[in-house]
Amino acid sequence: RFTYGLLELGDELFVRKEFVDRMANFIEARGYKSLDEVPEEAFDAATQSALKATFKDDNRITRLVSGIKKNTGLVGEVAMPFTKTPANIAVRAFDYSPAGLAMGIRRWVKNGGDPSAYIDEISKGLTGTVAVGLGWLLYKAGIITGPASENPDQAQYDEMQGKLPCSIKIGNNYYTFDWVQPASSALILGSTLASEAEKDGGLDGQAIAEAFKRSVVAMGDTLLDMSPLQSLSDIFGGCETPTGNLINEIVEFPQRLI
């Protein structure tokens, strides 16, 4: 509780600043002279924006993760002491991706109405898609690396040479960028797609699916390395990466019930 209190205190300034900036922009754009003229919807939108800026907003994913934690009792408390921030980082990674762009366009086409209602969602997806392309180009130029090789011997050799996965090369040194979540997720996907394209089979449907999987694993390992989820990383650590083991457990669990 003490740690949570410190985190809340640290976020308060950022929440307040985002709220004030959003309201100021809205008031200036509409030309309101008094707060009494501002509709309630504007306060709600500014509040939601402030919560999103600090990964504190509620959505289906955060409620799902929180529900799993609650239903698992003490085990959930120990394994996932904090859930909202990591879950929201994963949601933002999805928003800033080609999948997020497709989802925004799909919602617009399906629901219709004013396009401005979907502009924020679509622009995030478009930004992420451009970042995926940038990740591809940077990988091809030898400026960044993708996830670790699937060949354990090659991965170990790269590590001995100082070539780190998901890192940027400056001179003869490599500096990881995968911890800059969710911003780095699109770069990781782009570099992974580029590395898959170099294989003999080229970039077919199976290769694209594999690239998405490897990107999710790389991003998931970074999330699990965060202190709020370190316990999960310890639990699912093993011969594969923690995220790889976690995905295998989820996939194999229904089969064990048969």
Side-chain angles (χ1 to χ4, degrees), residues 144-206:
I144 67 174
T145 64
S149 173
E150 295 175 290
N151 185 322
D153 294 333
Q154 182 64 47
Q156 185 177 14
Y157 176 78
D158 289 341
E159 184 177 356
M160 290 175 61
Q161 297 298 311
K163 185 178 180 181
L164 303 175
C166 301
S167 61
I168 180 171
K169 183 180 181 183
I170 301 178
N172 294 323
N173 298 316
Y174 291 85
Y175 302 91
T176 59
F177 61 79
D178 56 349
W179 53 272
V180 190
Q181 296 290 357
S184 65
S185 59
L187 293 178
I188 293 174
L189 176 57
S191 62
T192 307
L193 286 170
S195 67
E196 288 290 331
E198 293 178 346
K199 295 182 177 180
D200 294 337
L203 200 60
D204 55 13
Q206 184 177 354

Side-chain angles (χ1 to χ4, degrees), residues 130-145:
V130 171
V132 171
L134 178 62
W136 177 295
L137 295 175
L138 291 176
Y139 177 87
K140 287 294 188 180
I143 298 175
I144 67 174
T145 64

Side-chain angles (χ1 to χ4, degrees), residues 8 10-23 41-58 84-85 88 92 120 124:
E8 288 289 300
D11 287 342
E12 184 177 350
L13 293 176
F14 295 99
V15 172
R16 183 181 302 171
K17 182 180 184 303
E18 179 66 23
F19 178 85
V20 171
D21 289 347
R22 182 67 179 259
M23 286 299 299
E41 292 78 9
F43 287 96
D44 294 338
T47 300
Q48 188 67 9
S49 177
L51 292 175
K52 281 188 174 182
T54 52
F55 306 107
K56 296 164 68 70
D57 56 303
D58 283 316
K84 184 170 287 189
T85 296
N88 271 321
R92 298 298 182 277
D120 184 56
K124 287 178 181 179

Side-chain angles (χ1 to χ4, degrees), residues 26-246:
F26 181 84
I27 292 173
E28 182 179 0
R30 299 299 177 90
Y32 293 131
K33 302 299 181 182
S34 169
L35 288 178
D36 294 333
E37 302 178 67
V38 181
E40 188 68 29
E41 292 78 9
F43 287 96
D44 294 338
T47 300
Q48 188 67 9
S49 177
L51 292 175
K52 281 188 174 182
T54 52
F55 306 107
K56 296 164 68 70
D57 56 303
D58 283 316
N59 51 64
R60 285 182 294 179
I61 301 301
T62 59
R63 289 192 289 270
L64 173 63
V65 176
S66 297
I68 293 174
K69 172 184 173 181
K70 181 179 180 180
N71 292 332
T72 51
L74 181 59
V75 175
E77 287 289 342
V78 173
M80 301 182 292
F82 305 103
T83 57
K84 184 170 287 189
T85 296
N88 271 321
I89 289 176
V91 171
R92 298 298 182 277
F94 178 87
D95 291 342
Y96 287 90
S97 72
L101 174 61
M103 182 68 72
I105 295 176
R106 179 180 177 275
R107 279 164 46 83
W108 177 28
V109 172
K110 180 179 179 180
N111 299 331
D114 186 1
S116 63
Y118 308 96
I119 193 65
D120 184 56
E121 187 175 357
I122 293 175
S123 63
K124 287 178 181 179
L126 186 60
T127 300
T129 302
V130 171
V132 171
L134 178 62
W136 177 295
L137 295 175
L138 291 176
Y139 177 87
K140 287 294 188 180
I143 298 175
I144 67 174
T145 64
S149 173
E150 295 175 290
N151 185 322
D153 294 333
Q154 182 64 47
Q156 185 177 14
Y157 176 78
D158 289 341
E159 184 177 356
M160 290 175 61
Q161 297 298 311
K163 185 178 180 181
L164 303 175
C166 301
S167 61
I168 180 171
K169 183 180 181 183
I170 301 178
N172 294 323
N173 298 316
Y174 291 85
Y175 302 91
T176 59
F177 61 79
D178 56 349
W179 53 272
V180 190
Q181 296 290 357
S184 65
S185 59
L187 293 178
I188 293 174
L189 176 57
S191 62
T192 307
L193 286 170
S195 67
E196 288 290 331
E198 293 178 346
K199 295 182 177 180
D200 294 337
L203 200 60
D204 55 13
Q206 184 177 354
I208 292 175
E210 180 63 24
F212 270 97
K213 178 183 176 182
R214 292 179 63 197
S215 300
V216 169
V217 169
M219 188 186 76
D221 287 342
T222 304
L223 290 176
L224 292 179
D225 281 339
M226 294 179 175
S227 56
L229 295 177
Q230 188 64 56
S231 297
L232 274 180
S233 181
D234 295 336
I235 292 171
F236 290 101
C239 57
E240 292 190 30
T241 67
T243 304
N245 290 329
L246 178 58

